Amino acid sequence: MPLFEGRKRRLGDRNDGFRIRNLDPMGRLIPYIMKTKADSWVLFEEKLEVTQAQELVRKLSREGYPGMSLYHLLFASLVRAMSQVPQMNRFVINNNIYARNEIKFSMVVKKGMNTDGDRTIILPRFQPEDTICDVYNSIKKEVDVIDRTKKVAEDENKSKFDVLEFTLSILPNWLLRFAIAFLKFLDKHGLIPKSIVALSPFHTSCFITNMGSFGMNAVYHHCYEFGTTSVFGALGKKEHEYVTDKNGKTVRKTYVKLCFVVDERTVGGFEYGAGFKIVKNCFSHPEQLLTPPKTVVADIIDR
């Protein structure tokens, strides 16, 4: 079910979210005290044992979901977390806190796996009831249309984001500076066109990067000042360790590291902690992602 389905915009709302009107005193003051994301970032890190998770994604990959990976499982885990802790899908702009009206993620896709390969970005949308298979299909739909044989400038089937990015990139410096400043002004005051927000990777529930896909460990990546991204996650490479189980037997375990940077103005550490606990639990017991959540928690934003 779409978030806030049927709700009408009121004065102070935006085309991508609804203003939170039931903030406690601290929530009301924090955006004025910490005015930027650089002021208010908080770091979360988890080292996760993924033996069961790997077994599930391999099984699904053999059963009709080729290429299913831990990356898809991370997306699905975050969608599940936002279905239970909807406050994770909030954002701050112009000193106000908003509840986003969709679950939209951003991820970079390399058109060629080399140092001079162009990059593009996909923006899959999800529903809070989505399973890991639904998440896989939404991502695949976006990835399948990318022509990896051509650079962005040469691709006659550019995505709408690529068209906008390419158009801005060929502007002279003075005009580009003005264009970006103008977009930031419109965004700050809730006037940025809905069509721009729809294709912007900076107006997203979560931006995720897969560092492990090219053999690196997870890093802490900043949340962009432009736009409304409040969560940036990175998935690291798989690492193996030998541990002793409860029977005294030495077994090999596989781990990955997850790193998140979040904007603490949106909600407190308790809510973020609850959300990331769900992510961790989904990696430990990934079979729960095969079915929709039993309930979807609504974000209560009115007095």
Side-chain angles (χ1 to χ4, degrees), residues 40 77 79 115 146 151 154 215 217 221 223 262 264-265 294:
S40 52
S77 299
V79 171
T115 54
I146 298 173
K151 290 185 174 295
E154 302 165 352
N217 223 327
H221 193 294
C223 292
V262 303
E264 78 155 328
R265 298 173 298 172
K294 293 180 180 179

Side-chain angles (χ1 to χ4, degrees), residues 166-183:
F166 180 71
T167 302
L168 289 172
S169 72
I170 62 177
L171 295 177
N173 289 346
W174 67 270
L175 187 54
L176 177 59
R177 190 177 300 115
F178 171 79
I180 297 299
F182 185 57
L183 286 174

Side-chain angles (χ1 to χ4, degrees), residues 178-293:
F178 171 79
I180 297 299
F182 185 57
L183 286 174
K184 287 183 175 181
F185 173 82
L186 293 177
D187 198 25
K188 180 178 179 180
H189 296 285
L191 301 173
I192 192 167
K194 189 175 183 178
S195 58
I196 299 294
V197 172
L199 55 87
S200 167
F202 308 108
H203 295 76
T204 183
S205 307
C206 184
F207 209 123
I208 306 179
T209 182
N210 186 5
M211 304 296 291
S213 65
F214 44 91
M216 291 186 64
N217 223 327
V219 298
Y220 293 110
H221 193 294
H222 60 89
C223 292
Y224 302 98
E225 290 295 345
F226 175 59
T228 60
T229 305
S230 299
V231 180
F232 201 118
L235 176 68
K237 65 182 180 180
K238 289 181 282 189
E239 298 182 313
H240 305 289
E241 292 183 12
Y242 288 91
V243 299
T244 302
D245 66 14
K246 61 182 180 181
N247 298 317
K249 183 180 177 180
T250 300
V251 295
R252 193 175 85 153
K253 298 284 188 179
T254 304
Y255 296 88
V256 295
K257 186 168 80 169
L258 295 178
C259 290
F260 290 94
V261 177
V262 303
D263 184 346
E264 78 155 328
R265 298 173 298 172
T266 55
V267 290
F270 178 83
E271 289 81 6
Y272 273 128
F276 290 127
K277 185 177 180 180
I278 292 171
V279 172
K280 184 176 181 180
N281 185 262
C282 286
F283 271 80
S284 299
H285 304 282
E287 65 282 352
Q288 65 188 287
L289 295 174
L290 294 171
T291 55

Side-chain angles (χ1 to χ4, degrees), residues 110-170:
K110 288 279 284 182
K111 289 172 75 76
M113 291 305 289
N114 49 64
T115 54
D116 63 348
D118 280 3
R119 296 167 293 174
T120 188
I121 292 178
I122 64 169
L123 308 166
R125 269 80 170 176
F126 308 106
Q127 298 301 326
E129 302 89 355
D130 280 355
T131 67
I132 188 172
C133 297
D134 297 323
V135 168
Y136 170 93
N137 288 329
S138 296
I139 295 173
K140 187 176 186 296
K141 181 180 177 181
E142 299 280 331
V143 171
D144 282 353
V145 299
I146 298 173
D147 187 344
R148 296 174 185 266
T149 67
K150 297 178 181 178
K151 290 185 174 295
V152 171
E154 302 165 352
D155 191 349
E156 61 273 13
N157 296 314
K158 299 181 187 70
S159 68
K160 291 181 179 179
F161 167 75
D162 286 338
V163 171
L164 176 62
E165 183 182 47
F166 180 71
T167 302
L168 289 172
S169 72
I170 62 177

